[in-house]
Amino acid sequence: MFGIYLKRELSRRKKAALVIAMGLALGIALVITVNSVSAGMQQAQGKVLKSLYGLGTDMTVTKARTAPTSSSSGRPKFDFDAKSDSSTTQSSDRVMTQGGQSLKSSLVTEVAAQKGVASAVGALSLNVTKVDGSFTQGKAKSSTSNSGQQGGPGGQNGGGSTGAPQVQGGGASFDVNSYSVAGVDVTHQDLGPLATSKITTGKTFTAAQTSAKVAVLSKSYAKQNKYTVGKTFKISGTKYTVIGIATPDSSESTTDVYLPLKQAQTLGDAKNKVTTIYVKATDSKQIATVKATIQKNISGTTVTTSADLADTVSGSLSTASNLATSVGKWLSIAVLIAAFLVAALLTSSAVSRRVREFGTLKALGWPSRKVTRQVVGESIVNGLLGGVLGIALGLGAAYTVTAISPKLTAELGSTGGGGGMGGGPGGGGPGQQAASAAKNTIDIALTAPVSVTTIALAAGLAITGGLIAGAMGGWRASRMRPADALRSVS
Amino acid sequence: MYKLTGVTKRYTRGKETVEALRGVDLTIEDGDQLVIQGPTGGGKSTLLQMIGGLDRPTSGSVELDGVDLASISEAKLTRLRAEKIGIIFQSFNLIPTLTAQENVETALVPLGVKPAERRERAAEALRSVGLGERLTHVPTELSGGQQQRVAIARALVKKPKVLLADEPTGNLDEGTRDDIVGLLEGLWHEYGLTFIMVTHDSSIARRAPRLATIKAGQISLTEQGGARRATPGPSAQAPEQQQYAQQFGAAQGY
């Protein structure tokens, strides 16, 4: 009788059942969406951190940041001679270590020797600013004699009086390109900047190529400059042969050119120096301890773990993440409570409308528990219906977010006053290397993965909602006296 | 046997206290038929609720076979209603979503009768009130008279000792009213039920052997002649009524 009665009542009161179910469904859908977007945010942050670290990297060691001095302002200098022949093109590369901060290579061995460290690999991050163009002399001319004199650039008027020489012609036309270079320890490529990329064309460095003039290019850089495997290119006059094209595991990698570490050190005039030491701990649970050990034993260094990096993520990714975890969480709780209340009130109201029905059953000798069970049963089915609808809506919303993949920007390191970031060599415009080194901007697409746990949570909430509504309705029904029920209709 | 002693019932409506029954004393023997009549608000339905164990008096006692319905626990009272008292309502009070057969089954649910037996007994009860062809019809597919027959089958399917009817013909036309009254009287007469009916219809009240009139919460009894007590066996009922009674009786094993 319970099942038949329940089925008939629900099919008779489809509209009311649907209203209750939809209320619960909205709350549940919101919970699923917020949960999945939060999971997406975490994944995005994870990707950002992974792109900076590389696979298997637990922490990085960089030089502790010091106040810049006048001699190490970090600004590149370019020397050009003005030529009389405008067709003469000049080119100048300026290579700088990223952030102007470097560590002695010997520290890599020291770090590797620390307790809890499984392996340590050094890498050098450089920024190359290439300026190509022509710089032509202007010609000084007198209005009376017309005799040519050399003047300064810009073709300015030499003076205001009649007969004074005037500079005509001359000028400059330059292209400025900047790209990043990473010096890789070719003997330990499983850790370090190249660990997050796959060689998709050609091959990677061999262990023997410690001093070879060979390079691996990122896919995007190679495409942009039309470099292919086997071709050569120059940095500061040194010719390198492209041996492989690397595709990063995530789109966040910012290194354009990978060179053997020694070549990078020569290029950056940083012999026996590295900018970042990549560290793998023996036990991933002991990272904090290892960090403390390194900082204690090796002075002048900053150790950055993924947890530290996560704190420095800012930009729209951080804002969205904060929104999802704070506003989204509270919003979904508020909507869920509202949905529960609406379901409870509607169920209670439905019970009030069924006074005659329940009064009759009690008059026939139905105990209160049987009447209550009927009401609770109907509410649980409503809740489950709401759960199914909510899960469908939530999955739809999560799928839509994933399909749209809104782009979020993560800014890293802007708040890190204590040291350099994990060594992700970022590009930067001329004269902005220091700023770029401190602030690494990464675009990342947001997804909204729905886990089984989230679905289970939704199902649990649906049943809870049904139980709350049923408890309220059942309580009203159980307090109903048959005489009151019959009196109200007779 | 019912024995009501000094039954008083007061209701509070806002700041006003209404005394629906004022010290009612009444004895109803097993197998008696009693019709309760009176003006609207006189207390007749309240008296029926006391007798049916649907409500408790403010003071006084309502004894059924020596058990005071006013003082037993709610659980025992509920059980007693389920086992001994069949109730018929003016508005039929059928569950609108259930079929005629399922509505009749609801009376057997609290007795713990197994589903298969429940279905069988409900079908038999409906056949005995002439609704054998309407088992799967929901109330909206039945006429007023047919709905009241379903309600009668529901009241009697559990083989009660007492049959209470609260204005059972109030919502029926004259022809159907006579059918239903005839059916109820036939069932009472044939099978020895204690039958108590509330009505405001004087033509029905005149047919009863014993009439209780309630005014302002006070009762007065009138013996009107005729057989006061049911005597099981065929009687001088109309052939159609006899047929229902015979079918019903066979089904119920009376």
Side-chain angles (χ1 to χ4, degrees):
Chain A
M1 182 55 71
F2 172 78
I4 292 169
Y5 193 8
L6 190 144
K7 188 177 144 193
R8 298 276 169 76
E9 283 301 321
L10 288 174
S11 63
R12 177 193 170 200
R13 298 173 209 277
K14 272 181 206 152
K15 213 171 169 181
L18 208 62
V19 168
I20 294 171
M22 279 308 293
L24 287 171
L26 280 177
I28 288 163
L30 200 63
V31 168
I32 292 176
T33 309
V34 169
N35 259 292
S36 56
V37 168
S38 289
M41 299 287 178
Q42 282 178 355
Q43 279 190 3
Q45 284 189 328
K47 274 185 187 176
V48 169
L49 301 181
K50 187 178 149 192
S51 72
L52 291 171
Y53 268 156
L55 283 171
T57 306
D58 293 321
M59 66 195 87
T60 54
V61 179
T62 52
K63 185 178 175 64
R65 193 170 288 279
T66 52
T69 59
S70 56
S71 61
S72 62
S73 63
R75 292 177 179 277
K77 290 180 181 174
F78 299 93
D79 297 316
F80 293 101
D81 293 326
K83 307 281 185 185
S84 56
D85 181 359
S86 63
S87 64
T88 304
T89 300
Q90 299 180 68
S91 176
S92 181
D93 288 345
R94 282 296 171 266
V95 182
M96 298 184 66
T97 56
Q98 196 172 60
Q101 307 280 343
S102 58
L103 299 161
K104 287 180 184 173
S105 295
S106 57
L107 283 180
V108 177
T109 320
E110 265 190 69
V111 169
Q114 297 301 311
K115 191 181 175 189
V117 173
S119 57
V121 171
L124 183 70
S125 300
L126 302 171
N127 274 105
V128 179
T129 306
K130 186 180 183 65
V131 180
D132 290 304
S134 59
F135 188 70
T136 318
Q137 292 174 346
K139 288 185 178 176
K141 286 184 181 177
S142 168
S143 59
T144 51
S145 64
N146 286 335
S147 61
Q149 288 184 13
Q150 285 190 339
Q156 293 174 339
N157 287 331
S161 61
T162 307
Q166 290 182 324
V167 177
Q168 293 182 339
S173 172
F174 293 105
D175 269 343
V176 180
N177 285 304
S178 174
Y179 57 93
S180 58
V181 174
V184 178
D185 184 343
V186 296
T187 58
H188 295 99
Q189 292 179 57
D190 54 335
L191 196 61
L194 200 49
T196 48
S197 298
K198 281 194 181 72
I199 302 296
T200 46
T201 311
K203 56 190 176 184
T204 188
F205 305 108
T206 63
Q209 289 176 316
T210 49
S211 304
K213 289 176 182 172
V214 290
V216 171
L217 304 183
S218 76
K219 192 179 176 185
S220 57
Y221 184 75
K223 191 178 174 186
Q224 185 188 339
N225 294 282
K226 295 175 184 169
Y227 291 140
T228 54
V229 172
K231 281 202 172 181
T232 58
F233 67 101
K234 280 184 179 177
I235 306 174
S236 282
T238 308
K239 193 185 277 184
Y240 295 97
T241 305
V242 179
I243 59 165
I245 305 294
T247 304
D249 291 339
S250 63
S251 59
E252 294 79 25
S253 180
T254 52
T255 301
D256 298 313
V257 178
Y258 299 91
L259 298 177
L261 182 58
K262 275 193 179 174
Q263 281 298 324
Q265 286 170 335
T266 306
L267 202 60
D269 194 19
K271 196 177 178 188
N272 294 324
K273 286 187 176 173
V274 293
T275 49
T276 310
I277 302 170
Y278 291 79
V279 180
K280 184 174 171 57
T282 48
D283 181 358
S284 61
K285 290 172 188 167
Q286 300 296 323
I287 288 172
T289 315
V290 177
K291 175 185 173 177
T293 307
I294 295 172
Q295 274 186 325
K296 184 184 165 192
N297 297 341
I298 303 172
S299 61
T301 57
T302 297
V303 182
T304 312
T305 65
S306 59
D308 300 330
L309 272 181
D311 291 340
T312 68
V313 175
S314 61
S316 61
L317 172 60
S318 176
T319 310
S321 180
N322 288 338
L323 276 175
T325 52
S326 55
V327 180
K329 185 176 80 182
W330 289 112
L331 181 68
S332 52
I333 288 173
V335 170
L336 209 57
I337 289 172
F340 284 0
L341 277 178
V342 167
L345 289 173
L346 287 175
T347 305
S348 186
S349 156
V351 168
S352 299
R353 285 196 301 274
R354 293 165 72 184
V355 165
R356 178 193 288 194
E357 190 175 319
F358 295 134
T360 303
L361 291 174
K362 286 196 164 188
L364 291 175
W366 278 47
S368 286
R369 66 183 152 76
K370 271 198 185 293
V371 177
T372 304
R373 191 179 73 153
Q374 201 67 41
V375 175
V376 173
E378 289 173 19
S379 292
I380 288 177
V381 173
N382 273 339
L384 289 175
L385 184 65
V388 170
L389 284 173
I391 288 169
L393 275 175
L395 285 176
Y399 176 80
T400 307
V401 170
T402 305
I404 295 170
S405 296
K407 198 167 80 175
L408 296 173
T409 305
E411 288 173 359
L412 293 121
S414 57
T415 57
M421 294 311 305
Q432 295 176 349
Q433 284 90 338
S436 296
K439 194 163 191 168
N440 198 353
T441 301
I442 291 169
D443 289 335
I444 194 156
L446 176 68
T447 58
V450 181
S451 65
V452 177
T453 314
T454 305
I455 299 285
L457 174 71
L461 287 173
I463 293 170
T464 307
L467 279 174
I468 289 173
M472 197 151 161
W475 177 75
R476 273 188 75 92
S478 70
R479 287 176 60 85
M480 220 174 265
R481 294 163 62 201
D484 290 341
L486 299 177
R487 191 177 297 129
S488 70
V489 295
S490 59
Chain B
M1 185 184 80
Y2 270 108
K3 190 175 180 190
L4 283 71
T5 310
V7 174
T8 298
K9 181 68 184 179
R10 293 189 198 94
Y11 298 108
T12 306
R13 283 181 186 155
K15 290 177 181 175
E16 192 186 355
T17 302
V18 178
E19 202 162 43
L21 296 175
R22 298 178 182 187
V24 172
D25 294 320
L26 179 65
T27 302
I28 308 165
E29 298 289 342
D30 289 347
D32 269 8
Q33 184 194 149
L34 176 72
V35 169
I36 303 169
Q37 196 187 22
T40 303
K44 54 186 189 300
S45 288
T46 305
L47 178 62
L48 195 74
Q49 285 165 7
M50 301 299 145
I51 293 169
L54 302 176
D55 204 349
R56 295 172 194 259
T58 310
S59 63
S61 63
V62 180
E63 287 184 17
L64 172 59
D65 297 337
V67 177
D68 185 6
L69 308 189
S71 58
I72 60 172
S73 70
E74 193 60 43
K76 281 183 179 167
L77 189 60
T78 301
R79 185 74 192 170
L80 186 140
R81 279 201 306 270
E83 288 174 348
K84 291 191 172 179
I85 302 170
I87 306 175
I88 300 164
F89 307 94
Q90 178 181 348
S91 303
F92 324 131
N93 288 25
L94 300 177
I95 309 296
T97 51
L98 300 181
T99 63
Q101 187 177 15
E102 289 158 355
N103 262 290
V104 176
E105 282 184 60
T106 58
L108 298 173
V109 168
L111 298 175
V113 178
K114 296 226 182 310
E117 187 188 343
R118 220 166 53 202
R119 281 193 290 277
E120 181 55 34
R121 281 174 65 175
E124 282 302 316
L126 283 166
R127 276 193 281 273
S128 65
V129 295
L131 290 177
E133 305 299 314
R134 297 282 188 272
L135 300 183
T136 56
H137 286 58
V138 291
T140 49
E141 295 168 343
L142 300 170
S143 69
Q146 287 172 325
Q147 288 188 50
Q148 196 59 295
R149 284 174 193 273
V150 175
I152 291 168
R154 181 179 63 184
L156 295 175
V157 70
K158 60 188 175 189
K159 304 177 191 171
K161 182 183 174 73
V162 179
L163 179 62
L164 305 180
D166 188 4
E167 308 231 23
T169 58
N171 284 352
L172 302 176
D173 60 50
E174 203 170 303
T176 313
R177 176 198 68 184
D178 292 342
D179 280 352
I180 294 297
V181 170
L183 175 63
L184 289 170
E185 285 178 348
L187 291 168
W188 159 70
H189 196 270
E190 292 294 321
Y191 306 109
L193 298 163
T194 301
F195 178 36
I196 303 162
M197 177 163 59
V198 165
T199 183
H200 63 272
D201 188 329
S202 297
S203 65
I204 296 173
R206 277 195 296 272
R207 293 166 63 162
R210 198 174 179 215
L211 178 67
T213 306
I214 286 195
K215 278 183 187 169
Q218 290 182 316
I219 193 167
S220 61
L221 284 168
T222 310
E223 299 291 339
Q224 301 191 127
R228 174 177 157 174
R229 202 153 298 154
T231 49
S235 67
Q237 298 294 317
E240 190 189 9
Q241 290 161 7
Q242 280 188 37
Q243 186 191 353
Y244 292 146
Q246 283 163 5
Q247 286 171 341
F248 186 80
Q252 301 304 306
Y254 285 123

